[in-house]
Every structure is written in C-alpha cells, then in structure tokens.
Amino acid sequence: MEFFDLGTIFFLVAAVVIFYQLRNVLGRRTGHERPPFDPYTAGRTGEKEAASEAASDNVVPLPKRRDAGPLPQDYSAIDSFAPAGGELNAGLRAIQDADPSFEPRGFVEGAKMAYEMIVMAYADGDRETLRNLLSKDVYEGFVAAIDDREKQHEKIESSFIGIDKIDLIGAEMKGSEAHLTLRIVSELISATRNSAGEVIDGDPETVAEVKDVWTFARDTRSSDPNWKLVATEAED
C-alpha cells in the first residue's frame, strides 16, 4: 500500500506540472491565432499562397525603360508608289501617320471596285448601295438625279466595260479626315430611254470613254474602314 501511495502521488505531481506547462504554452490567446481549419477553402488558400511564392521567386526587377517615343514609320510602300519629296508623297505620308494601316495600292484597288459599283448603282437607281458608298452631300445629289429621271419615266441602260487607267493624283489630311483624289478613265456603254423606249441620250451600241475625277474620304479616327465618295467631277 505504501508503494502504491507513493507512485500515485508521483504521477499526480507529474500531471500537475505537465498541465501547468501546457497551459503556459497553449492556454494564452495572443491575437495571432490561426482561424479554424476549413476543408473547403484550405486547398484554394494553399494554391494562392504557393502561386504567390512562386511569382515572388520568379520576379526579377528590371530597370525602367525610358520612353523612346513612337517607332518611326516605314514609308517604303508609299515611296515605291510616289516619288519621295513630292507633294503626293508628302500627303500619303501624312495619311499613313494618321492611319498606320493605310496602303496606297490597296486603296486604289478598292477604289476600282467602288467606282464600278457606284456607276452601275446610279444607272439602276440602287439607292441602298449608293447610301453605303457616298457621303451625305454626294448621295443627295445622286438621288435627286435618280428621282428626276424616274419622274420623267426615263431609264438608263448601262454596261460597264472596264477601267482603262486610274491614277492617284492628290492626297491630304483635312483635320482627322484623309482625302484621296483619283483620275479615272473608263469605258462603258450607256443609253437613256424615255417612256416610249426611244433613246434620248447616249448610244446602246457604242463603247464610250468616260473621264472622271473622284475624291474619296475617310475619318481616320473612326473604326469604320470604308472610304466614301465626297466629290465628283467630269473631265473633258
């Protein structure tokens, strides 16, 4: 009994000492305790911390690059189209400065298609096509002529043969608008008939040469890439 009592007392004393030590270490709140474990967020938190540490490990601070300003323009496409130093070249360069995507040869090819579409739409009285290709002022002029023709019960018969020659003769910026002027020589068969079917203008069997000077414009600030006809002039 005496041995049992001494052993019991020994373990009781040891338990009190251990409890006291654990209380000193674990029983105090310091304000920096971690929140309870959440199995739904622990994985995401661990991933974020790992990604953050990885990013920190892979970041190498670089010296700030001085702003060297915009890269110089490449005018080679323009210089091969119009001699450098000339007025046309200067105008084309100004347009490219405002619209870096501008390319003169591509514009001329597009103008050829637009010219044929406009000529044929006017002959056919196709107002919708004209609306998409003409500026407001030019459109109103074309439509007024179509209206007058329809009131007189006249009709144009037209066949477009093709463009013989097209030259870009003018280029300039007017504010944010780019203006390009073309001299166009085309061939077509055209005749206007009255309500009785009689030819009152042109010749339905003769190919005629037509010379026009047309100016197209586009606002370089607009996201719309299309050019519109803003001025027309017949050249004798």
Side-chain angles (χ1 to χ4, degrees), residues 74-224:
D74 178 8
Y75 298 115
S76 57
I78 288 174
D79 292 345
S80 66
F81 183 85
E87 186 176 349
L88 179 59
N89 182 282
L92 293 173
R93 287 189 177 207
I95 292 174
Q96 183 178 301
D97 288 342
D99 178 10
S101 67
F102 171 73
E103 200 280 314
R105 285 186 173 82
F107 167 80
V108 171
E109 290 304 310
K112 288 180 180 179
M113 292 186 288
Y115 180 84
E116 180 178 354
M117 290 175 66
I118 291 170
V119 168
M120 295 309 297
Y122 173 73
D124 296 338
D126 183 351
R127 294 170 175 80
E128 190 60 33
T129 296
L130 294 174
R131 189 191 309 276
N132 295 326
L133 295 171
L134 311 181
S135 68
K136 183 176 181 294
D137 290 343
V138 175
Y139 173 77
E140 289 175 352
F142 274 47
V143 168
I146 293 172
D147 290 343
D148 184 63
R149 187 174 74 214
E150 291 176 346
K151 288 177 183 178
Q152 301 297 324
H153 302 287
E154 296 172 352
K155 184 178 180 180
I156 294 179
E157 296 176 353
S158 185
S159 297
F160 189 82
I161 306 302
I163 293 177
D164 284 344
K165 189 176 182 182
I166 182 168
D167 294 314
L168 186 57
I169 60 173
E172 64 176 328
M173 288 294 298
K174 293 184 177 181
S176 64
E177 278 197 346
H179 287 245
L180 291 165
T181 301
L182 298 152
R183 180 182 289 116
I184 305 167
V185 179
S186 65
E187 290 185 339
L188 72 155
I189 300 172
S190 181
T192 302
R193 296 182 183 273
N194 61 19
S195 59
E198 301 169 337
V199 175
I200 58 174
D201 188 32
D203 188 333
E205 298 180 359
T206 301
V207 176
E209 183 181 75
V210 180
K211 297 180 180 179
D212 289 304
V213 176
W214 284 13
T215 299
F216 291 86
R218 175 182 173 271
D219 189 340
T220 58
R221 296 175 304 182
S222 172
S223 59
D224 183 357

